[in-house]
Amino acid sequence: MGQDIDITRKIIALLALRTATGVSQALIDSLSSARSETELFKKLDLTAELQYLKESYLNSEVRLFAAGDIKRWEGSGISLLAVGSPDYPELLAKIYNPPALLFCRGEIPAKRFPLAIVGSRAADPQGARFASTLAAELASSGACIISGLALGIDGMAHRGALSGSQQGATVAVLGSGLNEVYPRRHLKLAGEILASGGALISQFEPDTPPYPSNFLDRNRVIAGLSRAVIVVQAKKRSGALVTARYALEEGRDVLAVPGSPGNPLSAGTNKLIKSGAYLVSSAEDVCELFEQLSSNKETAGRAGCSDPVCRLLAESGEMHIDELSRRLGLQDNLHLKLLELELAGSIERRPGNLVALKTY
């Protein structure tokens, strides 16, 4: 309970400091690693400027206003998460200067594999369909699809994730406050995300309008929440490419969907692939990169095969044929056994002499 009180006091302190004249969001975020109000104030004692902020905070009534704001927001279903609190997203906490505070409606799915799908607001029909299908198939494989609720690719990714009726299949990160959902035409979509067990997240106070400068911060949070960022259609200059850059800076994987060289909407994704991003042409390409998704997708194959080969592949994932032979002690009859299982639809052969359970 003491730790909860410390976190609450820290949240009040951070909110109060936000109102002080001349305090930038970057400075507030730099204080986020403090685990309590006391530790935060130790950081403020480091320089005369910061010491002045501490004195201003301690001698004002702004703390009471901050506490009142928290109570009002919680009454409307908004929770506040501070770095160091148990509910703060683990992956986001690992980035450089994570947002000191997150405002959240709904529940951030903890058991799903977080993948971002982002792209152009002016997506063409082909790109929109692909984003929707990709999100639907990845959600059914155990992913939580994270995107920015924007028009175009973002919105289609959210809708695709929702199409399978899975709980907690998508999370939207806003470039505005949670009471100012933007774009307004996605207000219904935001409600559907919450109804499905997903969440709306913002680093901005609930009544903050969608200022243009907010969206770069929004993109950084999308990348920080995700194990990988998948870009579906992006021009040479695109916010989606900024999200990809943030992902690379934090050591996260970047994947991209190729397109025609003559399509301006593919210029950004093709450049990413040329620079080393993983090429994605289907959900299976993504599942092959991440065992957490592959194992989820291969459940059907495992359930229908009790052969020792299937059991070993279920436990260890795809395996080189030589390793499979060594582990099972089969040599002369292995190729015949694999052929039988392949014809039965239980396993599949992959490039590089790899063998895996059949995916569906």
Side-chain angles (χ1 to χ4, degrees):
M1 185 66 179
Q3 184 180 5
D4 292 341
I5 292 174
D6 279 344
I7 291 294
T8 300
R9 286 175 174 167
K10 172 185 169 180
I11 289 173
I12 291 173
L14 289 169
L15 284 171
L17 288 171
R18 275 184 167 187
T19 67
T21 303
V23 181
S24 68
Q25 184 59 48
L27 174 58
I28 297 296
D29 289 344
S30 72
L31 301 170
S32 64
S33 60
R35 290 171 291 183
S36 66
E37 180 191 51
T38 302
E39 189 174 327
L40 187 148
F41 286 152
K42 286 181 180 178
K43 288 177 174 285
L44 291 178
D45 284 333
L46 294 177
T47 69
E49 178 190 3
L50 295 179
Q51 206 167 25
Y52 167 77
L53 292 176
K54 174 185 172 181
E55 292 170 0
S56 174
Y57 165 73
L58 290 174
N59 294 329
S60 72
E61 295 181 352
V62 73
R63 285 174 297 167
L64 295 177
F65 289 108
D69 284 338
I70 292 173
K71 187 174 181 179
R72 176 168 57 86
W73 293 329
E74 288 179 343
S76 65
I78 297 174
S79 56
L80 274 74
L81 311 178
V83 175
S85 68
D87 295 330
Y88 195 93
E90 183 179 355
L91 281 174
L92 185 61
K94 293 178 179 178
I95 72 172
Y96 175 73
N97 269 5
L101 294 173
L102 284 182
F103 299 83
C104 179
R105 266 202 177 104
E107 297 289 332
I108 301 175
K111 295 183 178 179
R112 285 183 165 269
F113 189 77
L115 289 175
I117 297 180
V118 297
S120 174
R121 291 190 299 274
D124 62 27
Q126 182 181 3
R129 283 194 302 270
F130 185 87
S132 178
T133 300
L134 181 67
E137 293 180 358
L138 290 176
S140 70
S141 299
C144 173
I145 304 302
I146 298 168
S147 200
L149 202 70
L151 300 176
I153 296 299
D154 289 24
M156 293 306 295
H158 290 304
R159 289 192 173 93
L162 292 171
S163 65
S165 301
Q166 286 116 355
Q167 285 291 302
T170 186
V171 166
V173 183
L174 277 59
S176 59
L178 297 181
N179 291 337
E180 298 287 334
V181 172
Y182 179 84
R184 298 302 290 175
R185 71 176 76 176
H186 277 176
L187 194 58
K188 181 180 177 183
L189 176 59
E192 292 171 356
I193 291 172
L194 292 175
S196 74
L200 306 179
I201 297 174
S202 176
Q203 70 183 89
F204 307 105
E205 292 186 16
D207 297 321
T208 303
Y211 297 119
S213 59
N214 292 356
F215 291 91
L216 288 178
D217 292 326
R218 188 262 326 249
N219 293 347
R220 191 171 80 101
V221 172
I222 290 173
L225 287 168
S226 308
R227 279 291 310 274
V229 171
I230 305 170
V231 184
V232 183
Q233 292 196 331
K235 295 181 179 180
K236 281 185 178 181
R237 294 181 179 274
S238 167
L241 298 185
V242 174
T243 307
R245 177 168 59 80
Y246 283 138
L248 289 172
E249 289 174 354
E250 297 298 337
R252 312 293 165 84
D253 290 313
V254 172
L255 299 76
V257 178
S260 168
N263 185 351
L265 289 170
S266 298
T269 52
N270 288 343
K271 184 178 180 180
L272 285 175
I273 294 168
K274 188 176 180 180
S275 300
Y278 293 100
L279 186 152
V280 174
S281 60
S282 67
E284 186 175 355
D285 291 338
V286 183
C287 291
E288 287 178 356
L289 281 175
F290 303 107
E291 291 183 358
Q292 297 90 333
L293 296 176
S294 298
S295 60
N296 203 306
K297 193 174 182 182
E298 289 166 358
T299 300
R302 289 199 293 268
C305 178
S306 59
D307 189 275
V309 172
C310 294
R311 290 200 298 269
L312 180 57
L313 292 174
E315 294 170 1
S316 305
E318 70 174 12
M319 189 175 295
H320 193 278
I321 191 170
D322 292 343
E323 176 66 9
L324 191 64
S325 175
R326 186 187 68 79
R327 297 273 294 272
L328 292 172
L330 297 173
Q331 293 179 349
D332 296 338
N333 297 325
L334 180 59
H335 286 282
L336 180 59
K337 169 65 72 175
L338 294 179
L339 178 60
E340 292 173 355
L341 292 172
E342 190 173 14
L343 291 174
S346 299
I347 67 165
E348 62 183 3
R349 306 290 287 270
R350 293 179 177 174
N353 281 329
L354 296 174
V355 183
L357 287 175
K358 179 70 176 178
T359 58
Y360 296 92

